[in-house]
Amino acid sequence: MRIALNTQILVGALSGVALGLLFARLGPDAGGVKQGIFVCSLIGNLFTDLLKMVLVPLVFTSIAVGVANLRQHRQLHRVWVSTLGFFVLSMALAIALALLASNWFEPGKGLSLDLFQQADRNIAAKHMSFAEFIAGFLHGLFVNPFAALAQGNVLAIVMFALLLGIALVMGGERYRNILQLLQEGLELMLRMVGWVMRLAPFGILALLAQLLATQNLAVLSSLAAFVGVVLGTTLLHGFVVLPLLLFLLTKMSPLRFFRASREALITAFATSSSSATLPVTLRCAEQHLHVKPSIAGFVIPLGATANMDGTALYEAAAALFVANLANIELDLAQQMIVFFTTMLAAIGAPGIPSAGMVTMVMVLQSVGLPAEAVAILLPIDRLLDTFRTMVNVEGDMVVSLLVQRVLQDKA
């Protein structure tokens, strides 16, 4: 009897957690621990690299084919508007939840500022104004497509593939051969994703073991209140808010959704990368959640760069945490600035080194908070990143189901 891949991945994840905790308990000086962590890093990096290898051609073909298969420009307009609407709605709910929880629990109040001295301050954090951020973001949307493909600039690839798909729709039968070539390329990429997924149980085991074995638990305990607020609100958004939204609009039960999306959620947790998880997310949406390929191929690659519920939630909570550390009271108007700036920042700024850090600095600067406070977040960022990436990916799959439902209602 062959064990289902879903079950294999779950067993791999649990085994990775157990192995990582064992390594952490034994300590790095114990015999075989360093070698074990090294082997885990090799296997984990190999799995992540394989996912990234198929990422660019998969994004390009799935978006272009997805848009072209929508056929009618009017239907494309409906998909585009409903997709962006649900992206904004889900991120707005996440940010509002973070602000409410941060105002209620007030993490950082009374915390010793000596922690700033312990954190690494040697950061290349670029100070960027709001206008510079918007200019850089727009500049990164439209670049040489060959350069974008070579550099793995996902958002620029999405934009070019989107325009190509529209051109294929408008051109009709004239470009039938090009569309067929792209469709065959997409099928080929999905076949390769199936091969990579056979390694998923081992890759996820290795990634989780390495993460837990190298995590600094002392720093986590000193920032326990902030970690607790972020994890609590992230899990609440992922396991209550998004499933409730899905149930209210599509009547799909949360249990069915999580069972069908488990491969993508566990892979996102282990890799901490929405982009690296994208091949698995597409596979789950189309094969397990039964989203039409034309919709999944449009919504999910776009969501991997533009729909970041977990990231938006984290950056909003971090802004209020830093304000509490600095003993600065943010009024309602300033928190509204945090709300809107965080939503823009969560989309990201392609082409900027350390983009996550730059966007966090922009959020802090929008209300006059010290940009240097980014330093204190670095030691805990890796662990929190696993949870927020999982929610980012979940949000993409939920939106794809919601968009499909909207099109069915308007059909």
Side-chain angles (χ1 to χ4, degrees), residues 224-238:
F226 175 65
V227 172
V229 167
V230 172
L231 287 184
T233 49
T234 302
L235 294 176
L236 181 63
H237 184 73

Side-chain angles (χ1 to χ4, degrees), residues 201-379:
F202 306 101
I204 287 169
L205 186 157
L207 286 166
L208 291 179
Q210 181 189 6
L211 170 66
L212 291 172
T214 56
Q215 190 62 53
N216 187 341
L217 299 179
V219 174
L220 288 180
S221 63
S222 63
L223 300 176
F226 175 65
V227 172
V229 167
V230 172
L231 287 184
T233 49
T234 302
L235 294 176
L236 181 63
H237 184 73
F239 287 95
V240 177
V241 176
L242 287 177
L244 182 60
L245 184 65
L246 181 65
F247 178 74
L248 290 175
L249 296 181
T250 69
K251 304 304 179 187
M252 176 180 284
S253 74
L255 188 62
R256 180 187 164 198
F257 171 77
F258 284 118
R259 187 181 293 125
S261 61
R262 187 165 60 190
E263 282 180 26
L265 296 180
I266 294 176
T267 304
F269 185 88
T271 60
S272 298
S273 171
S274 298
S275 295
T277 309
L278 183 56
V280 191
T281 312
L282 271 171
R283 170 191 166 98
C284 285
E286 294 178 13
Q287 297 183 13
H288 304 328
L289 293 168
H290 306 296
V291 180
K292 291 180 181 177
S294 59
I295 294 174
F298 174 81
V299 174
I300 289 177
L302 184 62
T305 56
N307 183 40
M308 299 287 180
D309 291 13
T311 301
L313 187 154
Y314 170 70
E315 293 192 351
L320 267 65
F321 172 63
V322 170
N324 288 334
L325 282 178
N327 202 24
I328 296 173
E329 195 77 30
L330 296 182
D331 58 25
L332 182 60
Q334 289 173 310
Q335 292 196 30
M336 290 305 296
I337 292 172
V338 169
F339 182 95
F340 289 110
T341 310
T342 299
M343 186 172 291
L344 285 170
I347 295 172
I352 299 174
S354 303
M357 190 183 305
V358 171
T359 56
M360 175 65 79
V361 169
M362 191 191 77
V363 172
L364 296 178
Q365 287 185 319
S366 69
V367 285
L369 294 172
E372 292 76 16
V374 172
I376 201 171
L377 301 173
L378 290 182

Side-chain angles (χ1 to χ4, degrees), residues 2-83:
R2 186 176 179 182
I3 302 173
L5 181 62
N6 248 330
T7 306
Q8 292 179 39
I9 288 175
L10 183 60
V11 170
L14 295 174
S15 302
V17 169
L19 182 61
L21 292 174
L22 176 63
F23 283 162
R25 184 178 182 84
L26 292 174
D29 297 326
V33 171
K34 280 186 179 179
Q35 292 84 347
I37 294 174
F38 176 71
V39 170
C40 285
S41 70
L42 283 180
I43 297 172
N45 289 338
L46 174 64
F47 174 62
T48 306
D49 290 342
L50 285 170
L51 287 174
K52 289 179 178 178
M53 179 185 71
V54 297
L55 170 66
V56 168
L58 179 63
V59 169
F60 177 70
T61 53
S62 64
I63 282 276
V65 170
V67 172
N69 284 340
L70 293 172
R71 295 297 179 190
Q72 298 177 3
H73 191 64
R74 186 180 172 191
Q75 191 178 17
L76 173 61
H77 176 72
R78 287 176 178 172
V79 173
W80 178 256
V81 171
S82 56
T83 298

Side-chain angles (χ1 to χ4, degrees), residues 387-403:
F387 290 93
R388 64 176 184 261
T389 303
M390 182 174 65
V391 172
N392 289 344
V393 168
E394 180 190 353
D396 297 341
M397 289 185 284
V398 167
V399 169
S400 69
L401 288 164
L402 296 178
V403 170

